Amino acid sequence: MSTSDGRNVKLVDLLDEARDRALKQLQERFGGAEENKTKLAEDELLNAAEIMGTSAVKYYDMRQRGTQNYRFEYDKILNPKGDTAVYLLYTYARLCSLIRKSGLT
């Protein structure tokens, strides 16, 4: 994605695309497959996708240096591994689950 060719990209379009791609990932992962323990309702999937998409764009933008150009790639920012918001959100959810299961408050 580039603005150097004279094409402007609106933030709302960027966030909508990130949300849609995050939703697709979530549906592939939790979309009612029988082997999954975790079942999410459609509204929960949409809410999670909104959070993941917005967080991914914000985190990717904040970690870039302002003095250099960067290439925006949805697959890179929505990667559940590495230095991404999706990975941080997964880690946070995992820690909350461990604390809940441990009985600590």
Side-chain angles (χ1 to χ4, degrees), residues 27-39:
Q27 286 172 333
E28 289 171 1
R29 194 169 190 181
F30 301 110
E34 295 302 320
E35 68 273 2
N36 287 330
K37 291 182 184 178
T38 305
K39 303 290 184 210

Side-chain angles (χ1 to χ4, degrees), residues 21 25 72-80 84:
R21 288 179 184 230
Q25 282 184 359
F72 189 88
E73 299 175 40
Y74 287 106
D75 292 336
K76 190 173 183 179
I77 70 164
L78 292 170
N79 188 348
T84 65

Side-chain angles (χ1 to χ4, degrees), residues 27-100:
Q27 286 172 333
E28 289 171 1
R29 194 169 190 181
F30 301 110
E34 295 302 320
E35 68 273 2
N36 287 330
K37 291 182 184 178
T38 305
K39 303 290 184 210
L40 295 175
E42 189 64 28
D43 61 330
E44 292 173 313
L45 282 174
L46 288 171
N47 187 42
E50 185 76 35
I51 292 168
M52 282 176 57
T54 303
S55 299
V57 171
K58 283 181 178 181
Y59 185 80
Y60 187 78
D61 187 54
M62 289 185 342
R63 66 181 267 257
Q64 302 301 313
R65 293 191 176 117
T67 58
Q68 71 187 95
N69 293 333
Y70 64 91
R71 186 177 182 142
F72 189 88
E73 299 175 40
Y74 287 106
D75 292 336
K76 190 173 183 179
I77 70 164
L78 292 170
N79 188 348
K81 299 177 183 172
D83 189 12
T84 65
V86 176
Y87 180 74
L88 289 175
L89 289 168
Y90 169 77
T91 303
Y92 174 74
R94 188 74 185 111
L95 288 171
C96 289
S97 174
L98 288 170
I99 291 169
R100 186 178 62 251

